Amino acid sequence: MRLHAAEKFSAVVTGLLFMIDGAIIMFGSRSVDLKSYAGMIAIGMAVVLGGQIYRRLRPNERIASALTATGLFVLFTLSASLFNYLLLPVGDRRIDTFFIEVDALVGYRWDEFVAFVAQFPVFSSLLRAIYLSSLPQIVMVIVFLGFSRRFADLHLFLLTGILAALATIFIWYVLPSSGPSAYQVIAGDVAARARLVVDSNYGAELNRLMIEGPAFISPRDTLGLIAFPSFHMVMACLSVWFMAGFRRLFPLVLAVNVLMLPAILLHGGHHLVDVAGGLAVFALALWGAKAMLGASRFASIAKSSVVLAHTD
């Protein structure tokens, strides 16, 4: 395969994560839906292969970069999500009660916020759609950066996303949290009016997973385990930061991700500090990615990106 430095880094990290996943599964006797994971890995690999075809056999770097980055993103997400689940259970080490107390200092409680927004079901449904748009937005960013020949930005995007995800999982394992949905009960009629993504039943399942661990791990029914720092906030920052150069589309992206803030709190079942943590992780990951791209072994990316921009 012909991969640029940032793509190679993404592939190596993903490969290492899959190896670690495999070792934990083998020696930890975990029950995993290997067939489903294999199918999704095959899809990711097929997308990467498509990118390689457009890089080597039918030269079109715009399509090649977009497909390669998308495939690598899919594969990394699979490896990291599985790794996150394999870290379960974490026992009773969670620090949510502290975060709830911190929220109370500024007068915030998740259950009260849900009850308030549930009075406006149309607005809550809009926030639900925005909350669920995070992953499609990431794919949109990859496609726009690739097809607009902003290859250096695309490589920076890949590195930033990977570093942020790894940092998020590490922080969560050291300071595990599930969010207020695991501690505060929402009445069924209120949850129905708000059309919550994360409700009390979701929170109850998080409590079980944190204490008992998963009986069977499948990509079909995995939950978002991490409250602090919020990776939804990281993804919102990724979308806003890397779409800033697209003047016509950026106002819409910015508006959507401003509304992502209450959407994360409402439908993600998050503490206020989770959002701040996600912002901090993004900033640190962006700084780290830029530092890596400035290092000697990544320096060729800038030059190659300029050349590639004129090859198709």
Side-chain angles (χ1 to χ4, degrees), residues 79-155:
S79 66
S81 174
L82 177 56
F83 177 65
N84 195 183
Y85 253 73
L86 290 171
L87 292 175
L88 292 168
V90 296
D92 56 1
R93 299 188 291 116
R94 286 177 290 173
I95 59 174
D96 291 281
T97 53
F98 172 71
F99 286 157
I100 291 173
E101 292 173 358
V102 172
D103 286 346
L105 294 177
V106 293
Y108 173 79
R109 275 185 61 92
W110 177 67
D111 54 357
E112 294 175 355
F113 182 56
V114 171
F116 173 75
V117 179
Q119 299 176 73
F120 312 96
V122 174
F123 180 61
S124 182
S125 294
L126 172 63
L127 293 182
R128 176 189 173 93
I130 288 173
Y131 181 79
L132 295 175
S133 75
S134 290
L135 285 175
Q137 284 192 63
I138 293 299
V139 175
M140 176 194 69
V141 173
I142 292 173
V143 170
F144 271 78
L145 291 177
F147 276 82
S148 63
R149 299 187 179 95
R150 302 188 182 195
F151 304 120
D153 286 339
L154 180 55
H155 297 154

Side-chain angles (χ1 to χ4, degrees), residues 207-219:
N207 282 331
R208 187 192 69 79
L209 288 171
M210 293 294 180
I211 300 301
E212 301 175 6
F216 183 66
I217 304 174
S218 172

Side-chain angles (χ1 to χ4, degrees), residues 57-97:
L57 302 180
R58 300 181 61 183
N60 186 319
E61 187 56 32
R62 290 178 297 174
I63 299 177
S65 290
L67 287 177
T68 301
T70 299
L72 289 172
F73 172 75
V74 169
L75 292 171
F76 173 77
T77 300
L78 282 172
S79 66
S81 174
L82 177 56
F83 177 65
N84 195 183
Y85 253 73
L86 290 171
L87 292 175
L88 292 168
V90 296
D92 56 1
R93 299 188 291 116
R94 286 177 290 173
I95 59 174
D96 291 281
T97 53

